[in-house]
Structures are given as structure tokens and as C-alpha cells.
Amino acid sequence: MRFKKTYITAALTALLSIPALAQVPAPAPKQSKPILLKGATLHVGNGQIIENAAVGFDNGKITYAGPQNTANLGSYEVVDVTGQHIYPGLIHPNSTLGLNEVESVRATIDWREVGDFNPNVRSIIAYNTDSDIIPTVRTNGVLMTQLTPVGGTISGSSSIVHLDAWNWEDAVMKADEGIHLNWPNMLIQMGNSTDEERLKRMAESREETLTELTKLMRDAAVYKSGKHDNENLKLASMAGLFDGSKKLYIHADYGKEIIESINFAKQHGVKDIVIVGGGDAIAVADFLKANNISIIYSGVHALPTRAGEDVDMPYKTPYLLHKAGIPFALDYNTSIHGIRNLPFIAGTAAAYGLDKEQALAAVTLNAAKILGVDKQVGSVEVGKDATIVVSAGDLLDMRTSNVTYAYIQGRNVDLNNKQKYLYEKFDNKYKAQQKAAPTTPTSMKN
């Protein structure tokens, strides 16, 4: 017992000795006075660019966004950002940020539930606002995300949050806005497989999953009609799929799976469908457009799916989706460590065909529209939340991106994070060593 107490005391001492700057910064206080950013180039998010612009906001809402020379400077505290760029806060769909911290430590993973059919599981209540990763994401301008459960056939419901809050109740922007369905993979026999029994078992398992999914959808539709005696949380959570108040996010990549899953959802009366992943979206573009389906495309920095494809195909897909008239947003799949690279994913798309403002829209206004929060965020327009980013350079270019200010609902967010702290710590160490090192006399060098 004495050893155990000593061990616990030592562990607590070690935790308390970590410098404050290495911790997650406290959430910013509520905006207390009107603020106006002036002199920057404004990228509205809808394709419009305003040079020498000003953006004013009060009580967390944008009150002015336009040319600087028509702004009423007298009523604001003015922040001069001349020569910089103002953008809407970036939005990352399909993320496990705050649901997963250290993948090798089970206690920090809360992204899935036991079982295959969990439509009633709510990702929002598992969201950890004290994640060390969140501040590193904000540093690159990503200020909102969609908390997405994973695993099983129906993973649960996702919610939209902003990334500066004391708890999940403070963070939530739109709770339980959609249910996530992982479409069962079709079996594709590669070459002359000798494992016929294994393929047969996989085919039977897929059919069983589809049969169970069909029954669940039918039961949910009946439950929505009011024909039930007892409360059923699973069925109740799916009711919004049949009146359009909830989206069905279908995770699928293969073209035939995309078509099969959309037809399945429509046959069961689902009103609002979004495809997540969409690796083969271009191959079925006509079908997607005819059915008014949006895409959350996850593969910009992926390898081509087929050996014969153009090596640049993943980079060009956003442009091809735009050209085909299919609404789309970009994500970095569920990798929490890749979320900070979201602006550079958009930058890659811009380098391969998309106009720079179209690429920006793919991680701002388009994403907001697909997630159903475009009346609040996604563009820098009067009446929307003052969730905006200021960068000294091009936000979508990793060579010049340098976020100097970030505001979430008008609150000035602390941009410090653990990685910045460690960089400064060791940068100061080596600079001090170089300064203290003895210099070699010129005569000795010769």
C-alpha cells in the first residue's frame, strides 16, 4: 500500500509540474466590445474577394463585411491587419477529433460502441474539449468539425461543434444532425482465388447484414408513423431520416456500392442523403447529379484506386466534381492527426484545376451547406457567426499559411498549443547553445 501511495503521489507531482503553456489553452471569454478588422483582403467564402476590406463583429455576430472606406470605424475597436487575408473559419466534416486521443491507450478512445447497429449512439456526449490535438488544429484555421462515430454498420449520430469550449454543451452548434451508415462492402474476386469457402462465407455475411438493415429501416418507418406501444431508442433516433430533419451519411467508395446504397435509402423513404468517401464518385457522376446527392470527398491525398488510373486522379477529382455540378466538401477522413492539413488539401485541389476560391468554398461554405449550418457559418457575411480566420499569407498554401488571429463566435481564440510550446522550448535551447559556444579565431581557421 505504501508503494502504491508513493507511486500515485509521484505521478501527480509529475503532472502538476508540466508548464502551463504545454496544456490546452482555456476557452476565450465572450466578446465584450465591437471589433473591426481592417486593411486585409477578404475571401468571403462564396467566391467573392474584396481588396482592402473591413470585417466588423459584435456579440459574436458579423455586423459589417465590405470595403474599408465605407465602414463606420468610430463604433469599433480597430485591429489593423493590413496586408493579411481574412477567411471564414474552416469546417472539417467526418472527424473523430475529441473522440480519440491516443490510439494505443484504450481509455482515450471513444469513437465507437459495441455492436453493429447503433443509430441511437450520440457522439456529442463523448466529445472531449480538453483534447491536446484541438489547439493544433485551430492553429491552421480549422475552427469547426463534425464529430463522427465509426465502426459497425450503423455507427450512430454525428454533431457539429466549434473548437473552443469548456464542455460539449458549450461546443455544440447542431446536435445529432445525421446518422452514419457504413455500407457493406461488395465482394470483388481478384484473380483465380482458391478460397471459395471464404468468399462464400463473406457473401452470406453481407446478405445477413443487408437483411437486418432492411428490417431496421422498415421498423423505423413504422415507428415514425406512430404505430408502436413501447419506446424504442434505436427506432426513435432514426425518425428524422424520413422527414428530412436528419441526414443519412452513407460511407461508400466503390461505384456500384454508391449506387446500391442510394437506391436502398430512397426505397425506404430517406429524404436527405450524403455520400462520404466517394472514391468512385466521378464514375457515377450522372447518377449522383440525377439524384441530387452531395459528396464529402475523402481522397485528395490518397493513391489512385485502380492500377490503370491517372496518378493525379485523386488530386483532380474535386475539379471534376465541380465540373459535373455535384455539390461537394473535402475532408481528411477520420485521421485526427491529419485534420490540421485540411487547408492544404484544398490547396492541392486548387493546384489541380479548381479555382482558389472554389477550393476555399469546399472547406467552408460548401461544407456548411452539406452539414446544414450555412445560415450560421461558412462565409463572412452580415448576420452570421463571427467565426473567422486571419492569415498573414495564403491560408491554403503550406508555404505561406500563418494564422495570426482566429475568432469563434467573436471570441479571440488562443492560438498556442503543445507543439508550438515544444518548438519554442528547443529552439531557445539551441540558440542559447550557439550563443555560448566559443568562437574560433580567424588565424586558427587559416
Side-chain angles (χ1 to χ4, degrees):
M1 180 64 72
R2 180 178 299 173
F3 169 78
K4 189 173 182 180
K5 289 175 70 174
T6 303
Y7 177 81
I8 293 172
T9 302
L12 288 173
T13 302
L15 285 172
L16 293 173
S17 66
I18 297 174
L21 279 176
Q23 305 304 303
V24 177
K30 185 177 179 180
Q31 183 181 2
S32 60
K33 52 191 172 185
I35 295 173
L36 185 131
L37 310 174
K38 76 175 184 73
T41 298
L42 171 59
H43 304 260
V44 177
N46 59 6
Q48 184 181 9
I49 300 175
I50 302 174
E51 301 288 347
N52 195 24
V55 176
F57 45 97
D58 188 20
N59 291 322
K61 297 290 183 181
I62 297 171
T63 54
Y64 179 82
Q68 178 183 320
N69 57 13
T70 60
N72 179 14
L73 306 182
S75 59
Y76 296 95
E77 177 184 293
V78 177
V79 178
D80 190 349
V81 289
T82 299
Q84 300 193 52
H85 299 262
I86 299 175
Y87 300 88
L90 305 190
I91 307 168
H92 190 286
N94 185 34
S95 142
T96 58
L97 183 64
L99 304 179
N100 174 30
E101 194 73 6
V102 182
E103 293 188 9
S104 61
V105 180
R106 179 65 186 88
T108 73
I109 301 174
D110 209 358
W111 60 16
R112 71 167 295 167
E113 200 46 84
V114 176
D116 286 334
F117 295 89
N118 296 298
N120 54 310
V121 168
R122 306 176 66 215
S123 63
I124 184 64
I125 61 173
Y127 177 50
N128 174 25
T129 55
D130 291 321
S131 168
D132 278 338
I133 302 169
I134 291 173
T136 68
V137 168
R138 296 192 307 231
T139 300
N140 278 357
V142 182
L143 304 184
M144 293 154 285
T145 194
Q146 179 192 37
L147 303 178
T148 304
V150 299
T153 302
I154 297 183
S155 307
S157 67
S158 57
S159 296
I160 317 300
V161 297
H162 63 73
L163 299 180
D164 185 61
W166 288 103
N167 49 52
W168 70 262
E169 291 97 334
D170 292 341
V172 68
M173 295 172 58
K174 190 173 184 180
D176 305 320
E177 42 78 36
I179 288 177
H180 290 257
L181 166 62
N182 299 300
W183 193 250
N185 294 332
M186 285 185 168
L187 303 179
I188 306 172
Q189 187 165 345
M190 307 296 289
N192 297 320
S193 174
T194 57
D195 195 355
E196 297 292 341
E197 185 61 32
R198 176 173 172 272
L199 288 174
K200 181 180 177 181
R201 289 197 305 269
M202 291 174 66
E204 290 172 351
S205 176
R206 184 175 193 270
E207 286 304 313
E208 288 174 5
T209 298
L210 289 174
T211 299
E212 191 170 351
L213 181 59
T214 299
K215 182 179 184 304
L216 182 64
M217 295 294 287
R218 288 174 177 169
D219 289 347
V222 171
Y223 189 91
K224 171 72 167 61
S225 68
K227 298 176 182 178
H228 58 85
D229 297 324
N230 301 315
E231 184 176 11
N232 185 309
L233 294 179
K234 285 190 176 184
L235 301 182
S237 66
M238 298 176 67
L241 297 177
F242 307 107
D243 60 18
S245 61
K246 277 190 178 182
K247 297 176 186 290
L248 179 63
Y249 295 94
I250 302 176
H251 295 247
D253 282 298
Y254 181 43
K256 289 184 177 180
E257 292 171 357
I258 292 173
I259 293 173
E260 181 186 42
S261 62
I262 291 171
N263 284 335
F264 174 89
K266 284 187 169 290
Q267 287 168 7
H268 289 281
V270 177
K271 301 295 184 185
D272 197 345
I273 304 166
V274 177
I275 292 293
V276 182
D280 272 354
I282 288 303
V284 294
D286 292 342
F287 176 83
L288 293 171
K289 189 171 182 180
N291 286 276
N292 194 29
I293 303 297
S294 299
I295 298 286
I296 296 175
Y297 182 64
S298 304
V300 174
H301 280 187
L303 293 171
T305 55
R306 294 173 180 82
E309 277 187 349
D310 183 349
V311 69
D312 294 335
M313 188 62 184
Y315 307 150
K316 296 189 295 189
T317 294
Y319 167 70
L320 297 175
L321 289 171
H322 172 76
K323 190 176 178 181
I326 299 171
F328 72 95
L330 302 178
D331 77 357
Y332 201 90
N333 62 56
T334 55
S335 168
I336 53 175
H337 302 292
I339 294 173
R340 71 193 69 173
N341 293 321
L342 180 66
F344 313 136
I345 291 290
T348 298
Y352 283 83
L354 274 186
D355 175 85
K356 186 61 75 70
E357 300 307 308
Q358 293 167 350
L360 175 65
V363 290
T364 56
L365 187 56
N366 287 4
K369 287 179 178 178
I370 291 173
L371 300 179
V373 291
D374 54 300
K375 288 189 171 27
Q376 298 169 255
V377 293
S379 59
V380 184
E381 298 180 85
V382 173
K384 290 192 175 184
D385 288 354
T387 301
I388 55 182
V389 175
V390 181
S391 175
D394 183 348
L395 187 66
L396 306 189
D397 189 336
M398 66 185 302
R399 298 167 299 179
T400 61
S401 176
N402 179 20
V403 174
T404 54
Y405 295 95
Y407 296 89
I408 293 180
Q409 296 177 336
R411 298 178 289 110
N412 191 356
V413 176
D414 189 336
L415 293 175
N416 283 312
N417 61 55
K418 187 175 183 179
Q419 292 182 358
K420 277 189 173 183
Y421 164 75
L422 292 173
Y423 172 82
E424 292 170 3
K425 172 183 174 180
F426 289 101
D427 185 51
N428 290 335
K429 172 188 175 183
Y430 294 122
K431 282 179 179 177
Q433 287 178 345
Q434 289 174 349
K435 188 175 181 181
T439 57
T440 305
T442 304
S443 59
M444 292 184 65
K445 288 182 181 179
N446 295 334

